[in-house]
Amino acid sequence: MSYRETLEVNMAKSLGLTRRLISLDNFIDAETGRARKINSPRSLESCLRQGIDPSELKPIKVDVFIREEEELTGLKEVAVCKFEHYEERRQEKLQLARQERDLIIGYLEEAANTGVVSPQAKKFMKLAGANESSGDNMTDAQKMALAE
């Protein structure tokens, strides 16, 4: 487990979260290399704002492209070319979604640091499930939104 993942797990435990949030930063399992379903409100919002379906960020192995292309044309070179194009486009989408997520976090951090909540930050707080209440009645999303 990476240092960042360890911090996330410890934060989740300290906040009493019942489930682990899967974000754009940790949706690919480090041990298995498999993609997990993204459930972090900020990551989902950033995908939505960029017009990206989170399932488009899932890596696909070259073997899948080869199998599909063998049925169509039998040309391995075409499959490799399709794989490279898919992976390049996937990385571009992932970068866009992460940049948007950083923007969202920036608005929220600014609001937390200055005490001035811009209209944009209010939208993000609402989407993340955060509100001005505190205590044990908060949802996991509210606790994580306020913690970050």
Side-chain angles (χ1 to χ4, degrees):
M1 187 180 300
S2 73
Y3 178 73
R4 185 177 177 106
E5 288 176 325
T6 303
L7 285 176
E8 290 173 358
V9 169
N10 290 339
M11 181 191 298
K13 286 180 182 178
S14 70
L15 294 171
L17 296 177
T18 57
R19 66 184 172 108
R20 184 165 180 220
L21 291 178
I22 307 299
S23 72
L24 292 167
D25 294 332
N26 67 356
F27 76 102
I28 297 180
D29 189 303
E31 295 174 11
T32 64
R34 297 179 67 194
R36 297 175 288 185
K37 186 175 179 181
I38 296 172
N39 64 8
S40 165
R42 293 177 189 158
S43 293
L44 292 173
E45 175 65 14
S46 67
C47 287
L48 178 67
R49 292 174 60 83
Q50 289 295 324
I52 299 170
D53 182 338
S55 66
E56 296 174 14
L57 301 176
K58 179 181 177 183
I60 299 176
K61 294 185 179 190
V62 70
D63 298 342
V64 174
F65 287 92
I66 291 172
R67 241 181 288 126
E68 289 177 1
E69 197 58 39
E70 281 180 351
E71 293 175 10
L72 297 173
T73 64
L75 299 173
K76 183 177 179 180
E77 295 81 13
V78 173
V80 172
C81 184
K82 286 182 176 182
F83 164 75
E84 289 171 352
H85 176 75
Y86 173 83
E87 185 59 24
E88 183 179 325
R89 189 72 185 112
R90 185 184 79 82
Q91 289 295 332
E92 290 171 0
K93 290 175 184 179
L94 185 57
Q95 182 180 2
L96 284 172
R98 284 180 174 158
Q99 287 173 348
E100 187 69 29
R101 182 176 181 270
D102 290 343
L103 183 68
I104 292 169
I105 291 172
Y107 276 112
L108 295 172
E109 285 178 351
E110 180 183 345
N113 292 337
T114 64
V116 177
V117 181
S118 69
Q120 196 68 23
K122 285 181 184 178
K123 289 179 187 176
F124 294 138
M125 293 172 92
K126 183 177 180 183
L127 289 167
N131 60 26
E132 294 181 18
S133 67
S134 60
D136 294 335
N137 296 332
M138 293 171 50
T139 66
D140 289 351
Q142 290 170 325
K143 291 177 184 177
M144 188 59 94
L146 292 174
E148 288 186 11

